[in-house]
Amino acid sequence: MSKTAFVFSGQGAQYPGMGESLYRSSAAAKRIFDLCDAIRPGTSSQCFAGTKEELTITSNTQPDMFAVELAAAAALEEAGIHPDALAGFSVGEIGALACSGALSVEDSFRLVCRRGELMQYASDAADTGMVAVVKLPPHQVEELASRFEQVYPVNYNGPAQTVCAGLSASMEGFKAAVKDAGGRAIPLRVAGAFHSPFMASASAGLAEELKQYTFQPPRCPLYSNVTGMPYEGTDTYAALLERQVISPVRWQQIVENLIAQGVDTFIEVGPGNTLTGLIGKIDPGVKCCNVDSAESLQKTIMEVSHG
């Protein structure tokens, strides 16, 4: 039997104007934006009218991404398309958490706002950056990174793409080593060394923040970035979410596990189509769609409804 997974976009996919057509075309999407505005005034206007620079500030990016992702998911469900499984890339995992019902949308949004602030503070404390390494297998990227001071593989995106984070002072040498090995190192539009030890203060702050939340069983399997597997037991949520910001994202493993569980349709909810591209490289045989606008929503509804 065919199964559908909603996958929630990660930071770096944001763009000016994101979500506006969903807001204007879907009552369910509008409700999500209105809810976010009630907790963090100006969220929707920042998504719709914020500059590229404004949207790249982590403390803005994360709540804005969440709003667009949840709006896209709500619009899909309003159209009768529901997930059999959920996963999110980095900040997208908080959107997936909300969509699963394991944490309310309101509490999930408060959590993502705090997460963005904490990761912004951690980013500001060190001169760091991130690069996507392509054309090399993960084990080779790991070996190259180990040669440089405080450079870490942090996103296992696919068989030939691994993202590394680290000290800016080490990055030029690392990029040169990647080139010498036959790969390419592409700088990413993010503000810090996410999912690395540089986020230790953010992890500690999240541990405190998470004490105030109560988790419920999700309505369908929800996959963890840390383990690549579904969450098991509500007592594991806080610990895994705290660890998530300092641990690599096991995206390839998540996708392969979803496919092994019968998922053959992936719908990326949120800005852009980065995850759609990654999933297509992991397994070209699955169907991939994305929803971040009224137009892409209608296109996805047609594709999914008509097989």
Side-chain angles (χ1 to χ4, degrees):
M1 183 179 173
S2 179
K3 291 185 180 179
T4 298
F6 287 7
V7 292
F8 291 68
S9 310
Q11 195 163 330
Q14 68 277 358
Y15 60 85
M18 61 183 185
E20 185 171 11
S21 63
L22 287 171
Y23 177 91
R24 301 195 183 285
S25 62
S26 163
K30 183 179 184 299
R31 283 194 292 273
I32 295 294
F33 280 112
D34 289 347
L35 182 152
C36 294
D37 281 339
I39 296 170
R40 179 181 179 266
T43 297
S44 59
S45 62
Q46 197 168 69
C47 292
F48 307 158
T51 64
K52 181 179 176 181
E53 291 71 25
E54 190 178 7
L55 292 172
T56 304
I57 299 168
T58 298
S59 54
N60 292 335
T61 314
Q62 296 199 11
D64 293 346
M65 292 280 292
F66 178 98
V68 178
E69 290 169 358
L70 261 291
L76 275 168
E77 299 217 53
E78 182 182 44
I81 298 171
H82 306 286
D84 298 299
L86 295 159
F89 192 104
S90 188
V91 67
E93 189 169 336
I94 312 301
L97 182 77
C99 189
S100 78
L103 193 63
S104 71
V105 175
E106 293 87 344
D107 282 348
S108 297
F109 187 63
R110 293 184 182 98
L111 174 61
V112 84
C113 288
R114 184 62 179 145
R115 184 182 186 273
E117 291 171 356
L118 290 165
M119 292 177 75
Q120 182 69 55
Y121 298 150
S123 298
D124 291 343
D127 185 7
T128 58
M130 297 176 73
V131 295
V133 179
V134 296
K135 298 184 178 180
L136 298 178
H139 69 87
Q140 190 172 3
V141 178
E142 291 171 345
E143 194 281 320
L144 290 172
S146 71
R147 301 179 193 175
F148 296 87
E149 182 184 4
Q150 293 184 287
V151 175
Y152 310 96
V154 294
N155 302 160
Y156 290 87
N157 290 349
Q161 186 184 126
T162 305
V163 172
C164 291
L167 281 176
S168 294
S170 299
M171 279 300 188
E172 288 308 313
F174 174 67
K175 287 190 285 186
V178 167
K179 184 177 179 181
D180 288 345
R184 285 182 61 212
I186 305 161
L188 300 184
R189 295 179 297 161
V190 293
F194 303 144
H195 301 285
S196 79
F198 287 101
M199 292 291 117
S201 65
S203 181
L206 276 174
E208 288 300 311
E209 177 73 14
L210 286 160
K211 289 177 182 177
Q212 65 182 294
Y213 300 120
T214 301
F215 297 93
Q216 305 297 327
R219 60 175 166 143
C220 62
L222 169 67
Y223 283 70
S224 164
N225 283 193
V226 175
T227 64
M229 302 290 290
Y231 280 90
E232 292 185 4
T234 54
D235 57 334
T236 65
Y237 280 67
L240 286 173
L241 290 167
E242 169 194 340
R243 285 173 54 198
Q244 194 236 39
V245 297
I246 54 170
S247 303
V249 175
R250 306 282 176 186
W251 188 249
Q252 181 176 354
Q253 186 179 344
I254 288 171
V255 172
E256 290 173 345
N257 286 337
L258 283 163
I259 294 168
Q261 293 303 311
V263 171
D264 57 7
T265 300
F266 290 81
I267 305 177
E268 180 174 1
V269 291
N273 58 2
T274 300
L275 299 184
T276 301
L278 294 178
I279 294 165
K281 287 183 171 65
I282 294 168
D283 187 338
V286 298
K287 177 183 289 185
C288 296
C289 315
N290 71 294
V291 175
D292 65 352
S293 65
E295 181 182 6
S296 57
L297 172 65
Q298 293 308 314
K299 181 180 177 184
T300 293
I301 291 169
M302 290 291 291
E303 287 186 15
V304 173
S305 300
H306 295 88

